[in-house]
Amino acid sequence: MKPIKVMLVGESWFSESAHHKGFDHFSSGIYETGQEHMRKALEADKEIEYTHLPGHLAGEEFPSSIEELSKYDVIILSDIGANSLLLSRRVFVEGKTSANRLQLIREWVKNGGALCMCGGYLSFAGIQASAKYFRTPIEEVLPVDIYTFDDRVETPEGATIEVLDHEHPIIKNIPNQWPILLGYQEAPLKKDAHLILRTGYGHPLLATMEYGKGRSLVWMSDIGPHWCPQDFVEGEGYRLMWQNAMHWLAKR
């Protein structure tokens, strides 16, 4: 059987620091990614072929046609705003028309592809609503509607996880003792969606939906720290959940 081809898009950033030491000062920069725990989980499954497309490369390298998208079974968008997919160099710098890749994703899912969106400061509405997936073709595909304002719910006290569908194949073999979360994003569930997990505050956490011939899934928290604590991302349940999710999305 062919491998399940998964591409995670996003989860990368550049950080710059200013250092002042008496009279002197200098700056330093560092490149980081937040995809390591997801990568380890999916690469541990020999039936999954995993690719990571960092956010700063997505504008030029994300597929710009249905044919290119069709090379993948599952696309994961995680902590990357809509602008990174909408504003390629051709559009933003050269002032020329280009394919709307949010529309392409919608058509691809409708024809049998699978989309997953994970939470983060630049997912769903995002911090200060700057991820801006509300009122886009992506919102139409997902199991949740997206608010037009900052949708983060920071829970430093810890938010518990409640299981609503113990028999769903994504979580069926996972122990019931779920770790707490330190944050997530709030979004209302669509009437056609299926809710598997919710937070102790009553908000959707893990939900799925059929869209045309394809499928979609949302995980409203992060795939790594800080929202997803270290004991969660390093646990067996994290690995099983994401492996199972890719198989469910790809209808395997």
Side-chain angles (χ1 to χ4, degrees):
M1 181 179 290
K2 292 182 179 180
I4 300 170
K5 294 188 176 183
V6 176
M7 180 167 66
L8 184 145
V9 186
E11 287 295 340
S12 71
W13 59 92
F14 295 89
S15 299
E16 186 174 357
S17 300
H19 308 263
H20 295 265
K21 299 185 176 183
F23 185 87
D24 299 297
H25 67 89
F26 63 94
S27 61
S28 62
I30 187 173
Y31 169 72
E32 301 177 87
T33 73
Q35 55 98 31
E36 287 305 308
H37 297 289
M38 174 75 85
R39 180 187 63 79
K40 290 177 182 177
L42 298 187
E43 288 184 348
D45 187 330
K46 301 305 180 185
E47 297 181 34
I48 295 174
E49 184 178 302
Y50 174 81
T51 301
H52 177 223
L53 179 60
H56 65 283
L57 299 179
E60 301 309 306
E61 297 185 13
F62 188 87
S64 294
S65 69
I66 295 292
E67 291 72 27
E68 292 176 18
L69 276 172
S70 296
K71 296 176 183 178
Y72 300 95
D73 297 293
V74 181
I75 298 292
I76 304 171
L77 300 179
S78 186
D79 213 357
I80 180 170
N83 283 327
S84 293
L85 298 177
L86 291 170
L87 300 178
S88 64
R89 177 181 177 84
R90 177 180 174 85
V91 175
F92 191 68
V93 177
E94 300 174 11
K96 299 175 182 177
T97 61
S98 181
N100 185 322
R101 290 181 284 198
L102 304 188
Q103 292 178 355
L104 287 177
I105 292 172
R106 178 180 60 189
E107 293 307 304
W108 171 72
V109 175
K110 187 176 181 179
N111 292 328
L115 175 66
C116 171
M117 181 174 282
C118 301
Y121 276 23
L122 281 169
S123 297
F124 301 100
I127 187 169
Q128 300 174 352
S130 56
K132 206 173 181 182
Y133 282 104
F134 49 82
R135 299 173 183 162
T136 70
I138 295 295
E139 182 180 30
E140 183 179 324
V141 174
L142 297 177
V144 294
D145 291 318
I146 300 174
Y147 288 132
T148 58
F149 48 83
D150 191 320
D151 56 359
R152 293 170 302 131
V153 181
E154 301 285 356
T155 58
E157 74 283 8
T160 57
I161 297 175
E162 181 182 355
V163 180
L164 299 181
D165 184 357
H166 292 270
E167 297 303 312
H168 196 282
I170 293 178
I171 65 163
K172 187 174 183 180
N173 299 320
I174 297 177
N176 288 329
Q177 199 67 24
W178 290 77
I180 61 167
L181 296 172
L182 298 179
Y184 58 92
Q185 280 162 299
E186 181 182 350
L189 192 73
K190 289 179 179 173
K191 61 181 179 63
D192 295 329
H194 179 68
L195 187 59
I196 303 169
L197 302 175
R198 69 184 175 194
T199 71
Y201 294 104
H203 299 134
L205 177 61
L206 177 64
T208 62
M209 192 174 78
E210 306 283 338
Y211 184 82
K213 297 178 181 178
R215 288 177 165 178
S216 64
L217 178 150
V218 290
W219 168 254
M220 303 302 297
S221 191
D222 212 338
I223 63 170
H226 78 276
W227 278 351
C228 227
Q230 205 71 31
D231 62 340
F232 194 168
V233 296
E234 293 178 353
E236 182 72 0
Y238 178 93
R239 180 184 66 81
L240 285 172
M241 180 181 75
W242 285 115
Q243 290 177 354
N244 293 343
M246 296 305 107
H247 283 262
W248 183 86
L249 283 165
K251 299 183 179 179
R252 299 288 179 85

